[in-house]
Amino acid sequence: MINSIKKDCEATGRGGERQAVKALPFSRRSFLAKTSCFGAFYAVAKLIPLPALAAELAGDSRVSATPIVDKGFASVRKIGTGLYATISDTSKGFTTVCNGGFLAGKDAALLLEGYAGPAGASFQMDALRMVSQVPVKGALDTHYHFDHSMGNSFYGGNGVPLWAHATTAKRIVDNYGPLQGLEKEAALGPYEKRVKEAKSETERAHAQSDLSAVTGLFQIANSTMLGLPNHPIDPAKLPLSVDLGGLTAVIESYPGHSGTDMIVRVPEQHVVYAGDLLFSGWYPVCFDEKATISGWRYTLKKFATLDKDTLFVPGHGQICGQEGIATLREVFDDISGQAEKMYKAGVPVEEAQHRYVVPDKFENFPVYAWGFTIGPAITKLYAEWGAK
Ligand SMILES: [Zn+2]
């Protein structure tokens, strides 16, 4: 399978200076998925169907039973007064990939996320215009990861100010800039090597999942015109209240997923747009060099203290209530519990990161590439415990 992917990608690959790449962050996506290079990647994402809205949320008076628009790859649903959630379903397409949404007050609107490409951002703008004609005050990337930022150029081209954590622009340039003009071999070679040199079938399967994810990332970042936030938000100056006219959004920043994470909270309606600080019914993506497991667990503990009726829009997965926070905390507890046993038994980290066993109760939780989720969670935990 790898060989055929390799051959196909070579046929469509772009030339360019060979450059070294330290680490390739995660994602997947969109119209390029139609090309054969996306074969493996597309197959992986197709296995991640979106669960239906939980019964208790379907009965929540804030949540509209019918989406205002449903394109398969994403639907947009009203979840409060002037509040809308865009929920992606990668089993049906890659135009948006991440979740997001928008807030529309009497005077202005705030859009969330740049999605996996300009078509995703455009889809969101169209959805806003179905319900409101107020001026757009800004579009906020909840963090720099490319499934949340590759459509930024759409906002730039339409005069929408782009908001994000102050370090987001630099992280986009540092992580995705080097992939532009890079030869495919330089980007994927190390991952292909890991598949070939895997010491066991488990390690091979893990390496294969990483290669699929990175193939998708490379194709997208290599071919996307990067758009950088022009409205940096200093995390030291948060929380920031944004008055949209009868609707107040509060922007806050928390540690955990990427070092650039921001959430948008609407306290009056108990709604939180959590970005990737919340994976709902998924294993959390922890690969980022600035990801911190203890920080993330602290953040989730904070979220758990919010109102019991809080409605959360996660970065990936279905809309949830406090039970979604509780479940992700359980996932972290489980990873940490298994890792701690191995750490105390003297299992080296290189082995431990592959030895985690998914328990039955999480067996349906998508693992978006082992080396972007469970593997780095264990490596980071070992580091937090002082492993050399
Ligand atoms: Zn992310």
Side-chain angles (χ1 to χ4, degrees):
M1 193 174 183
I2 303 245
N3 285 341
S4 73
I5 292 164
K6 204 172 141 192
K7 212 169 107 227
D8 290 344
C9 289
E10 269 162 9
T12 55
R14 229 168 74 168
E17 292 292 305
R18 187 176 286 272
Q19 301 169 38
V21 171
K22 285 186 302 197
L24 297 175
F26 114 105
S27 226
R28 70 190 92 87
R29 93 88 179 256
S30 90
F31 60 89
L32 284 170
K34 295 193 184 80
T35 71
S36 52
C37 295
F38 268 88
F41 181 60
Y42 194 67
V44 168
K46 264 210 177 306
L47 297 174
I48 307 180
L50 183 72
L53 207 56
E56 58 269 35
L57 290 185
D60 187 315
S61 63
R62 291 169 292 182
V63 180
S64 163
T66 318
I68 60 166
V69 55
D70 186 349
K71 295 271 189 188
F73 62 79
S75 63
V76 181
R77 189 185 300 272
K78 191 166 189 278
I79 57 165
T81 306
L83 307 180
Y84 295 80
T86 299
I87 302 297
S88 291
D89 182 351
T90 56
S91 71
K92 295 183 184 148
F94 299 87
T95 305
T96 45
V97 175
C98 75
N99 295 335
F102 52 87
L103 299 80
K106 289 190 188 74
D107 305 326
L110 178 64
L111 303 171
L112 303 180
E113 308 294 14
Y115 299 101
S122 173
F123 163 75
Q124 169 140 288
M125 181 68 101
D126 289 348
L128 167 68
R129 290 304 175 223
M130 289 171 69
V131 298
S132 173
Q133 302 305 316
V134 295
V136 178
K137 196 161 194 162
L140 173 79
D141 289 351
T142 59
H143 63 298
Y144 84 91
H145 285 164
F146 92 77
D147 50 329
H148 299 254
S149 67
M150 288 291 125
N152 284 349
S153 64
F154 172 83
Y155 298 129
N158 284 279
V160 174
L162 194 54
W163 300 11
H165 185 286
T167 59
T168 291
K170 181 173 175 3
R171 301 293 304 279
I172 290 174
V173 170
D174 289 352
N175 285 276
Y176 307 130
L179 297 182
Q180 303 201 306
L182 181 68
E183 285 180 23
K184 183 187 61 67
E185 276 309 309
L188 302 185
Y191 292 87
E192 289 171 343
K193 190 161 173 268
R194 272 181 47 212
V195 174
K196 283 193 200 104
E197 295 176 356
K199 292 194 201 80
S200 67
E201 277 314 302
T202 303
E203 284 190 28
R204 195 180 316 282
H206 294 171
Q208 179 69 68
S209 69
D210 296 350
L211 174 61
S212 297
V214 173
T215 301
L217 163 60
F218 171 72
Q219 289 290 346
I220 297 162
N222 184 267
S223 59
T224 297
M225 187 180 289
L226 303 178
L228 305 181
N230 63 342
H231 183 103
I233 299 173
D234 180 352
K237 293 184 180 153
L238 297 180
L240 173 70
S241 283
V242 183
D243 181 5
L244 301 171
L247 175 61
T248 302
V250 181
I251 298 173
E252 298 170 346
S253 182
Y254 290 91
H257 173 71
S258 73
T260 58
D261 302 298
M262 297 202 148
I263 69 165
V264 175
R265 211 152 66 82
V266 183
E268 285 173 8
Q269 299 189 53
H270 301 306
V271 169
V272 174
Y273 294 88
D276 280 5
L277 287 167
L278 179 57
F279 281 75
S280 175
W282 283 46
Y283 270 87
V285 169
C286 303
F287 77 91
D288 199 280
E289 59 181 309
K290 301 276 188 196
T292 144
I293 308 303
S294 56
W296 200 333
R297 293 171 93 185
Y298 155 86
T299 295
L300 293 171
K301 200 172 169 185
K302 283 265 189 196
F303 288 177
T305 65
L306 295 172
D307 190 272
K308 68 176 173 44
D309 292 325
T310 302
L311 203 56
F312 292 93
V313 179
H316 298 272
Q318 189 52 276
I319 300 170
C320 59
Q322 281 288 3
E323 80 289 347
I325 300 295
T327 302
L328 186 55
R329 294 181 78 191
E330 270 185 65
V331 170
F332 272 116
D333 289 348
D334 189 67
I335 296 173
S336 179
Q338 291 194 37
E340 192 178 1
K341 273 187 199 144
M342 293 189 277
Y343 180 70
K344 286 184 173 159
V347 178
V349 69
E350 299 75 30
E351 260 181 71
Q353 62 177 309
H354 292 293
R355 273 212 212 163
Y356 173 84
V357 178
V358 175
D360 289 349
K361 63 177 168 180
F362 304 138
E363 68 179 355
N364 294 323
F365 283 34
V367 175
Y368 176 70
W370 196 270
F372 293 82
T373 53
I374 294 163
I378 292 171
T379 308
K380 283 169 187 283
L381 282 164
Y382 261 59
E384 285 181 8
W385 296 328
K388 297 278 184 315

